[in-house]
Amino acid sequence: MAKVPRNFKLLEELEKGEKGIGDGTCSYGLSNGEDIFMSDWNGTIIGPPGTIHENRIYSLKLYCDDNYPNNPPIVHFISRINLPCVNQHSGKVESSRLSCLSQWKSSNSLEDILVDLRREMANAVNKKLPQPPEGSTF
Amino acid sequence: MATPPLPKRIIKETERLIADAVPGINAKPHEENLRYFDVDITGPEQSPFEGGVFKLELFLPEEYPMSPPKVRFLTKIYHPNIDKLGRICLDILKDKWSPALQIRTVLLSIQALLSAPNPDDPLANDVAQHWKDNEQEAIAKAREWTQTYAERKMSKIGI
């Protein structure tokens, strides 16, 4: 397959995100619609039903460096959340503790990360973890 | 992962782009990805983009030439058919694409779009509205942006 350059891959992801992905439980977009290098992104995850996260809306920020998609994005939660893969001081998603990031492939996307994080929230081990007050931020 | 060989058509188009260059257009493939081109287009004379050199990037997807090239501006430009991320509204890049067209024809069409902005088929709605409401003022702003973001600083490089 032809290797899609960073900017054109991000443009594709942007267009997909603008149309809306999956069932709408995960979404993302550019933080600054005029940023020609498309480095900073916002993400949103709606907490999965039947878990402590139900009805909560989580905001995240994702940063794609010059080597994206060879390098995975750097991902932070803005909304406070208690999850084993999230650093409790900074909100950073620890790459080594989320399979989508630790086994990152250049064909992966921002959507894959959000979907994987939502899966973590619903994971039997995590779904009842006590959570910080709704609306608090890192 | 081994890169598959480049289709003959792309090799030929690239050779011709370099050997028989179009005036005002420069296109050079990246060494590590021969489907990915750095492009410079000189603003056409008598257009608000005159005096500017605009950087673009072009990518030939796997399906090329059955699918059109992907192109966008990297230099900021005030034009009704080009949005804030440099994406271009041009029919041959979408539904009017034909495999008989080439990289060369695409770049010539983009150069022509700079000479003839089309506010009736806008991508940047606010810019198109400006063009329709007050064409002179919109052109003045396009000229100002050309000077700010695209002007070749001839004196500084001693040409």
Side-chain angles (χ1 to χ4, degrees):
Chain A
M1 281 297 279
K3 188 172 158 275
V4 182
R6 172 192 187 276
N7 293 350
F8 288 101
K9 173 162 165 59
L10 285 174
L11 281 173
E12 273 173 30
E13 292 196 43
L14 177 68
E15 267 148 46
K16 193 171 175 206
E18 281 167 348
K19 280 184 199 139
I21 50 175
D23 53 6
T25 51
C26 297
S27 57
Y28 61 88
L30 274 180
S31 305
N32 169 4
E34 295 188 34
D35 172 20
I36 203 110
F37 294 109
M38 300 174 284
S39 303
D40 293 294
W41 297 71
N42 297 323
T44 304
I45 301 173
I46 298 177
T51 73
I52 193 159
H53 305 285
E54 183 163 3
N55 293 328
R56 288 196 180 202
I57 298 174
Y58 292 98
S59 300
L60 300 91
K61 55 181 182 179
L62 304 98
Y63 173 77
C64 300
D65 71 9
D66 291 351
N67 285 319
Y68 181 84
N70 295 328
N71 295 349
I74 297 166
V75 186
H76 282 86
F77 271 85
I78 297 171
S79 315
R80 251 184 201 286
I81 186 168
N82 177 21
L83 268 185
C85 63
V86 178
N87 181 306
Q88 288 305 302
H89 297 289
S90 63
K92 184 171 189 270
V93 178
E94 304 291 359
S95 303
S96 57
R97 304 193 68 168
L98 187 73
S99 62
C100 174
L101 292 176
S102 62
Q103 295 161 44
W104 179 259
K105 292 191 290 280
S106 60
S107 56
N108 286 150
S109 63
L110 301 174
E111 175 183 359
D112 294 332
I113 298 170
L114 297 175
V115 169
D116 203 21
L117 281 169
R118 191 166 187 268
R119 204 177 293 131
E120 276 297 295
M121 294 177 192
N123 182 324
V125 189
N126 298 332
K127 69 178 187 185
K128 290 186 177 143
L129 284 177
Q131 293 301 318
E134 198 171 348
S136 54
T137 55
F138 280 107
Chain B
M1 201 165 60
T3 321
L6 206 60
K8 214 172 207 162
R9 158 147 176 178
I10 297 181
I11 297 173
K12 285 201 151 173
E13 278 199 55
T14 306
E15 283 171 358
R16 194 167 156 235
L17 272 173
I18 292 165
D20 179 16
V22 185
I25 296 178
N26 224 314
K28 207 174 130 228
H30 284 236
E31 269 173 38
E32 77 285 357
N33 187 350
L34 297 171
R35 290 174 172 270
Y36 185 30
F37 292 74
D38 279 329
V39 179
D40 287 335
I41 296 184
T42 306
E45 283 174 25
Q46 324 245 305
S47 78
F49 312 102
E50 183 174 2
V53 177
F54 296 85
K55 285 200 172 304
L56 295 88
E57 55 183 354
L58 178 147
F59 172 61
L60 304 173
E62 179 74 21
E63 303 76 23
Y64 181 82
M66 298 319 290
S67 300
K70 295 177 185 292
V71 201
R72 75 162 183 150
F73 277 80
L74 291 170
T75 306
K76 260 173 95 88
I77 181 165
Y78 198 73
H79 190 293
N81 310 105
I82 301 164
D83 76 2
K84 292 186 168 92
L85 292 175
R87 294 178 287 188
I88 307 164
C89 181
L90 187 63
D91 54 0
I92 61 159
L93 291 175
K94 300 186 175 111
D95 51 328
K96 295 282 161 52
W97 170 253
S98 142
L101 298 170
Q102 298 185 4
I103 303 172
R104 171 183 299 264
T105 34
V106 165
L107 297 178
L108 280 167
S109 302
I110 293 171
Q111 198 182 36
L113 190 67
L114 296 185
S115 291
N118 177 11
D120 292 320
D121 183 21
L123 192 57
N125 279 308
D126 47 337
V127 182
Q129 199 55 47
H130 195 191
W131 227 272
K132 285 184 177 174
D133 293 345
N134 189 342
E135 189 171 341
Q136 265 189 329
E137 197 188 280
I139 287 173
K141 186 158 180 187
R143 200 167 278 137
E144 194 185 301
W145 278 38
T146 303
Q147 284 166 8
T148 309
Y149 303 111
E151 190 156 85
R152 198 203 300 254
K153 304 281 190 294
M154 293 196 181
S155 55
K156 283 191 183 156
I157 52 174
I159 297 174

mmCIF file of all heavy atoms in Angstrom, chain A residues 12 25 56 83 104 107 114 126:
data_model
loop_
_atom_site.group_PDB
_atom_site.id
_atom_site.type_symbol
_atom_site.label_atom_id
_atom_site.label_comp_id
_atom_site.label_asym_id
_atom_site.label_seq_id
_atom_site.Cartn_x
_atom_site.Cartn_y
_atom_site.Cartn_z
ATOM 1 N N GLU A 12 -7.957 13.046 6.402
ATOM 2 C CA GLU A 12 -8.964 11.970 6.293
ATOM 3 C C GLU A 12 -9.657 11.760 7.634
ATOM 4 O O GLU A 12 -10.880 11.611 7.703
ATOM 5 C CB GLU A 12 -8.296 10.640 5.911
ATOM 6 C CG GLU A 12 -8.145 10.423 4.424
ATOM 7 C CD GLU A 12 -7.311 9.167 4.116
ATOM 8 O OE1 GLU A 12 -7.338 8.204 4.918
ATOM 9 O OE2 GLU A 12 -6.631 9.178 3.073
ATOM 10 N N THR A 25 -20.738 7.732 20.506
ATOM 11 C CA THR A 25 -20.277 7.701 21.899
ATOM 12 C C THR A 25 -18.844 8.212 22.023
ATOM 13 O O THR A 25 -18.400 8.547 23.109
ATOM 14 C CB THR A 25 -20.371 6.280 22.486
ATOM 15 O OG1 THR A 25 -19.715 5.378 21.589
ATOM 16 C CG2 THR A 25 -21.818 5.868 22.638
ATOM 17 N N ARG A 56 -21.736 10.130 32.138
ATOM 18 C CA ARG A 56 -20.674 11.134 32.266
ATOM 19 C C ARG A 56 -20.080 11.416 30.884
ATOM 20 O O ARG A 56 -20.036 10.536 30.027
ATOM 21 C CB ARG A 56 -19.558 10.635 33.179
ATOM 22 C CG ARG A 56 -19.968 10.595 34.649
ATOM 23 C CD ARG A 56 -18.738 10.469 35.523
ATOM 24 N NE ARG A 56 -19.098 10.433 36.925
ATOM 25 C CZ ARG A 56 -18.259 10.745 37.914
ATOM 26 N NH1 ARG A 56 -17.012 11.103 37.661
ATOM 27 N NH2 ARG A 56 -18.656 10.698 39.157
ATOM 28 N N LEU A 83 -8.759 5.635 36.284
ATOM 29 C CA LEU A 83 -8.547 4.444 35.453
ATOM 30 C C LEU A 83 -7.079 4.063 35.586
ATOM 31 O O LEU A 83 -6.224 4.951 35.661
ATOM 32 C CB LEU A 83 -8.801 4.768 33.972
ATOM 33 C CG LEU A 83 -10.175 4.580 33.321
ATOM 34 C CD1 LEU A 83 -10.069 4.867 31.831
ATOM 35 C CD2 LEU A 83 -10.727 3.183 33.561
ATOM 36 N N TRP A 104 0.866 0.335 19.041
ATOM 37 C CA TRP A 104 0.453 1.294 18.008
ATOM 38 C C TRP A 104 0.962 0.897 16.623
ATOM 39 O O TRP A 104 2.122 0.515 16.454
ATOM 40 C CB TRP A 104 0.996 2.675 18.377
ATOM 41 C CG TRP A 104 0.653 3.727 17.371
ATOM 42 C CD1 TRP A 104 1.466 4.233 16.401
ATOM 43 C CD2 TRP A 104 -0.600 4.400 17.233
ATOM 44 N NE1 TRP A 104 0.788 5.182 15.672
ATOM 45 C CE2 TRP A 104 -0.473 5.301 16.156
ATOM 46 C CE3 TRP A 104 -1.832 4.319 17.902
ATOM 47 C CZ2 TRP A 104 -1.527 6.133 15.740
ATOM 48 C CZ3 TRP A 104 -2.870 5.140 17.491
ATOM 49 C CH2 TRP A 104 -2.715 6.030 16.428
ATOM 50 N N SER A 107 -1.448 2.425 10.939
ATOM 51 C CA SER A 107 -2.804 2.423 10.364
ATOM 52 C C SER A 107 -3.853 2.765 11.422
ATOM 53 O O SER A 107 -5.025 2.955 11.112
ATOM 54 C CB SER A 107 -3.100 1.055 9.753
ATOM 55 O OG SER A 107 -2.921 0.052 10.732
ATOM 56 N N LEU A 114 -9.822 6.470 21.278
ATOM 57 C CA LEU A 114 -11.005 6.808 22.075
ATOM 58 C C LEU A 114 -11.850 5.564 22.331
ATOM 59 O O LEU A 114 -12.338 5.341 23.449
ATOM 60 C CB LEU A 114 -11.822 7.898 21.369
ATOM 61 C CG LEU A 114 -11.099 9.239 21.180
ATOM 62 C CD1 LEU A 114 -11.963 10.200 20.355
ATOM 63 C CD2 LEU A 114 -10.734 9.873 22.518
ATOM 64 N N ASN A 126 -12.599 -2.452 35.835
ATOM 65 C CA ASN A 126 -12.603 -0.989 36.018
ATOM 66 C C ASN A 126 -13.988 -0.373 36.199
ATOM 67 O O ASN A 126 -14.095 0.757 36.658
ATOM 68 C CB ASN A 126 -11.964 -0.304 34.803
ATOM 69 C CG ASN A 126 -10.514 -0.717 34.618
ATOM 70 O OD1 ASN A 126 -9.849 -1.060 35.589
ATOM 71 N ND2 ASN A 126 -10.053 -0.694 33.389
#
